[in-house]
Amino acid sequence: LDGYVAGVVARRREEPADDLLGALVYARDAGEKLSESELIAIAGAGLLTGGVETVSSALPSFVFTLLTRPDLVAQLRENLELVPAAVEELLRWVPVNTAAMFARYAVEDVRLGDVVVRAGDPVLPALHAANRDPEVFADPDVVDLTRSPNPHVAFGHGPHHCIGAQLARLELQEALKAILVRFPELRFADGRDGVKWEYGVIVRGPSLLRIAW
């Protein structure tokens, strides 16, 4: 993968373009804000792998959630304009990333319940727990496809906000809409218990989800 991405980077240097990879190459070559290895890692593992794996795992997880709640499927079929809001709610309710991946460091003392996180302490946040925070979301354990506002942190926050968030939203919206329209009788082929899940990975999703229609 690194070799492939290095080749793509080399071609972008030969043919500069006003796109994301072009901006990263510029940051490396003109701004010297990245090392070559950092550039390859961001473009490969961060953008290419991360962009494919998260969406391809989130979509079947969303389908699983909807198939276990026929009322939600009926609600979406009756009004496809709800799909963008539904994607936001499913991003909030379905844990996609199941690990913190890397530590954040407190810039000042912060009290969390009975614990004080001191300035400089590393913290491994659980984004899926934050998305069920009852102080932020009314009825946080309920899937509400009309929830608004919906300040979930499925894509992170601040400087760690996912750079591909808007593309992921568009992919999930279009895919979910296409599934609802194309397969009106969509159902589990082996029942809910026939779905198998990945374990020991950062991105949560089914390893097997057979459907029928």
Side-chain angles (χ1 to χ4, degrees), residues 108-192:
E108 60 185 34
D109 291 356
V110 179
R111 176 172 291 279
L112 296 174
D114 297 329
V115 177
V116 175
V117 179
R118 300 297 180 186
D121 284 352
V123 178
L124 294 172
L127 298 182
H128 52 285
N131 284 337
R132 302 285 186 93
D133 186 348
E135 294 186 8
V136 178
F137 304 98
D139 298 319
D141 293 328
V142 174
V143 182
D144 180 1
L145 301 185
T146 63
R147 187 182 298 274
S148 180
N150 195 340
H152 66 76
V153 289
F155 290 117
H157 182 70
H160 298 296
H161 189 270
C162 174
I163 198 170
Q166 293 304 90
L167 176 60
R169 283 187 167 99
L170 181 61
E171 291 175 329
L172 290 168
Q173 289 171 15
E174 292 302 312
L176 191 57
K177 189 182 299 182
I179 289 171
L180 290 168
V181 172
R182 174 67 179 82
F183 304 116
E185 301 297 327
L186 188 69
R187 61 189 184 277
F188 290 121
D190 306 311
R192 175 175 177 164

Side-chain angles (χ1 to χ4, degrees), residues 49-92:
T49 305
V52 171
E53 175 65 19
T54 50
V55 172
S56 62
S57 295
L59 182 60
S61 294
F62 289 2
V63 170
F64 173 85
T65 300
L66 292 174
L67 289 181
T68 59
R69 293 167 172 78
D71 58 315
L72 299 182
V73 177
Q75 185 181 7
L76 285 175
R77 291 195 194 283
E78 291 174 4
N79 185 4
L80 289 176
E81 292 183 0
L82 281 178
V83 166
V87 166
E88 296 304 312
E89 177 67 348
L90 290 168
L91 283 166
R92 181 194 73 84

